[in-house]
Amino acid sequence: MTTPQTKSGLELRDIAIRLQDRVLVDLDLVIAPGEIVTLMGPSGSGKSSLLGHICGTLPTAFEVQGTVRLNGRVLDGLAPQDRHVGILFQDDLLFPHLSVGGNLAFALPSSIKGKAARQAQIADALESAGMAGFADRDPATLSGGQRARVALMRVLLSEPGVLLLDEPFSKLDSGLRDQIRSFVFDLARQNGLPTLMVTHDPEDGQAANGRVIAL
């Protein structure tokens, strides 16, 4: 029997996504806590549509069948903010009007009360990213690699139950790509997050060192 404490991972049971009678996704998949699964396919193959369905942001023009469960909890029909799904995109999407610390504070759950407690969470996150003391920095002053690290820490501070990666390394130069990939994958495993990455780059799948599924 599944209890709220049980971490069974992400279950995509008999998922079929159609658009105008065209089947984009036909998938049955379970991703265990800490496992990284790579989904590969060309543009238009339905990779991002699947992520949108898991997040609860897929447009109503798509027809979907099947069930999505996260740690035993059915996500279908829930609002996006109630799903506890974390996602990283190819753009870091940091808020330009907020400091680095402000960006991270935006993700903190409301259960963390008090300024001191929230600042401590932010400081710990920055230290784990190798960016201690960066809380007051303007995101515009950060390097691409630093921005990518802040974006990941913001996702993790929201306490997601699953991590989705939507081509998050595609805009990084080759010198940074390996470093940031390792950073993301290591933290996903350390946090026991079932992780689904969509990409068109075979090197991403090789670096993840897990199952690779072609659409």
Side-chain angles (χ1 to χ4, degrees):
M1 179 177 178
T2 300
T3 67
Q5 291 75 34
T6 302
K7 288 191 174 183
S8 54
L10 178 68
E11 300 176 55
L12 305 175
R13 294 299 190 183
D14 300 316
I15 299 297
I17 300 178
R18 297 179 176 85
L19 181 63
Q20 298 177 345
D21 297 325
R22 178 188 171 206
V23 178
L24 299 177
V25 176
D26 186 2
L27 187 67
D28 189 86
L29 175 66
V30 177
I31 306 176
E35 181 184 11
I36 300 170
V37 173
T38 302
L39 201 61
M40 294 202 62
S43 297
S45 61
K47 304 187 304 298
S48 293
S49 298
L50 177 62
L51 297 191
H53 175 54
I54 297 169
C55 290
T57 59
L58 189 68
T60 56
F62 292 84
E63 179 187 346
V64 183
Q65 293 177 315
T67 304
V68 179
R69 291 188 183 90
L70 178 57
N71 296 325
R73 177 174 175 250
V74 175
L75 299 189
D76 304 289
L78 296 179
Q81 66 270 21
D82 295 329
R83 296 187 177 214
H84 301 291
V85 172
I87 185 166
L88 273 181
F89 298 97
Q90 57 183 263
D91 294 311
D92 54 65
L93 303 180
L94 298 182
F95 300 120
H97 63 290
L98 296 178
S99 66
V100 168
N103 269 274
L104 295 179
F106 184 83
L108 287 172
S110 58
S111 58
I112 301 176
K113 306 291 187 183
K115 183 177 180 180
R118 296 174 73 83
Q119 287 180 337
Q121 289 274 336
I122 291 166
D124 288 346
L126 288 172
E127 184 172 357
S128 68
M131 296 177 63
F134 276 62
D136 293 331
R137 287 276 294 271
D138 185 330
T141 68
L142 302 182
S143 68
Q146 289 169 336
R147 293 178 66 91
R149 286 171 181 261
V150 173
L152 175 63
M153 299 316 297
R154 185 173 64 180
V155 170
L156 295 181
L157 283 174
S158 71
E159 300 180 354
V162 59
L163 180 61
L164 306 181
L165 305 175
D166 191 359
E167 307 269 10
F169 315 117
S170 62
K171 289 192 174 181
L172 296 173
D173 63 52
S174 57
L176 277 176
R177 199 169 296 137
D178 289 344
Q179 174 189 352
I180 299 303
R181 271 195 298 231
S182 295
F183 180 69
V184 172
F185 297 156
D186 288 349
L187 282 181
R189 292 188 174 103
Q190 289 170 21
N191 284 273
L193 293 175
T195 301
L196 179 61
M197 173 173 62
V198 301
T199 182
H200 63 272
D201 185 350
E203 291 187 5
D204 286 343
Q206 292 169 5
N209 195 29
R211 286 183 288 166
V212 178
I213 298 171
L215 281 185

